[in-house]
């Protein structure tokens, strides 16, 4: 099965219908993703996860990072950075615990952020400081996290972001900027 192939490292996912359509229509997938905790493993280092960019093997590395609102969550970012994994292809999903200084470090290397406000609110009671990220120069995308704790669509996530922007952030973003985040 596809799942069995994935779990045993046989790249069974490559044989699924949707992946085959994508492969033949658009070429090989040059984006890698990483769930919470996976990158802590020794095999995740700048040589294996980021260096593929220089030879064209990788264009982006999406990582769920700093999802909480505590110091432990902030420390995840510093560990990632100390391993050389904060770079232009790094796309941080959540970053809920990050500080203005950490967003500045992201901006300095051209790293990007994916904001999922509804999931952040439901899981942590707060959301990413996207004003600080924007002020630092981090490019921000807006997308749902996952069904159990987030929006069911980009439009619903946009509605949540617009409400937060209006009611709490004093219209930091224009409606056009919010629309740009989902496109």
């Amino acid at each position: 099965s596809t799942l069995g192939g994935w779990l045993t490292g046989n790249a069974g996912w490559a044989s699924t219908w949707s992946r085959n359509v994508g492969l033949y229509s658009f070429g090989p997938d040059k984006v890698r993703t990483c769930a919470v905790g996976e990158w802590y493993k020794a095999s995740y280092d700048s040589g294996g996860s980021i260096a593929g960019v220089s030879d064209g093997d990788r264009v982006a590395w999406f990582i769920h990072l700093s999802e909480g609102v505590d110091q432990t969550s902030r420390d995840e970012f510093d560990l990632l950075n100390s391993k050389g994994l904060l770079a232009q292809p790094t796309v941080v999903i959540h970053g809920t615990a990050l500080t203005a200084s950490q967003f500045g470090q992201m901006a300095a290397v051209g790293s990007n952020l994916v904001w999922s406000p509804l999931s952040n609110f439901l899981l942590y009671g707060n959301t990413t400081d996207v004003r600080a990220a924007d002020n630092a120069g981090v490019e921000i995308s807006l997308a749902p996290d996952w069904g159990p704790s987030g929006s069911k669509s980009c439009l619903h996530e946009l509605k949540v972001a617009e409400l937060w922007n209006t009611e709490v952030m004093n219209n930091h973003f224009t409606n056009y900027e919010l629309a740009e985040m989902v496109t």
Side-chain angles (χ1 to χ4, degrees), residues 11-45:
W13 57 267
S15 64
T16 63
W17 183 79
S18 62
R19 284 291 185 170
N20 280 340
V21 168
L23 176 64
Y24 297 117
S25 298
F26 305 109
D29 189 354
K30 294 187 177 195
V31 174
R32 299 292 180 262
T33 60
C34 182
V36 177
E38 286 182 17
W39 65 271
Y40 280 98
K41 298 176 185 173
S43 62
Y44 278 91
D45 58 23

Side-chain angles (χ1 to χ4, degrees), residues 16 56 59 63 67 69 75 77 86 88 94 115 136-137 142 144 147-149 159 163 166 183:
T16 63
V59 294
I63 178 170
E67 286 192 52
V69 291
D75 291 345
F77 177 87
L86 184 64
Q88 186 278 325
H94 298 298
W115 181 34
L142 177 67
S149 69
K159 182 178 180 179
L163 183 63
T166 302
T183 59

Side-chain angles (χ1 to χ4, degrees), residues 17-125:
W17 183 79
S18 62
R19 284 291 185 170
N20 280 340
V21 168
L23 176 64
Y24 297 117
S25 298
F26 305 109
D29 189 354
K30 294 187 177 195
V31 174
R32 299 292 180 262
T33 60
C34 182
V36 177
E38 286 182 17
W39 65 271
Y40 280 98
K41 298 176 185 173
S43 62
Y44 278 91
D45 58 23
S46 59
S49 297
I50 298 301
V53 172
S54 61
D55 60 15
D57 287 343
R58 187 152 306 126
V59 294
W61 186 52
F62 288 84
I63 178 170
H64 288 252
L65 185 76
S66 298
E67 286 192 52
V69 291
D70 57 3
Q71 186 61 46
T72 301
S73 298
R74 276 185 289 287
D75 291 345
E76 286 180 1
F77 177 87
D78 295 331
L79 179 59
L80 179 96
N81 197 8
S82 73
K83 288 181 160 241
L85 292 169
L86 184 64
Q88 186 278 325
T90 307
V91 180
V92 173
I93 301 171
H94 298 298
T96 314
L98 298 184
T99 65
S101 173
Q102 290 169 318
F103 286 126
Q105 293 172 53
M106 287 177 63
V109 297
S111 181
N112 298 315
L113 175 71
V114 176
W115 181 34
S116 302
L118 182 60
S119 182
N120 297 161
F121 291 133
L122 293 174
L123 294 174
Y124 312 113

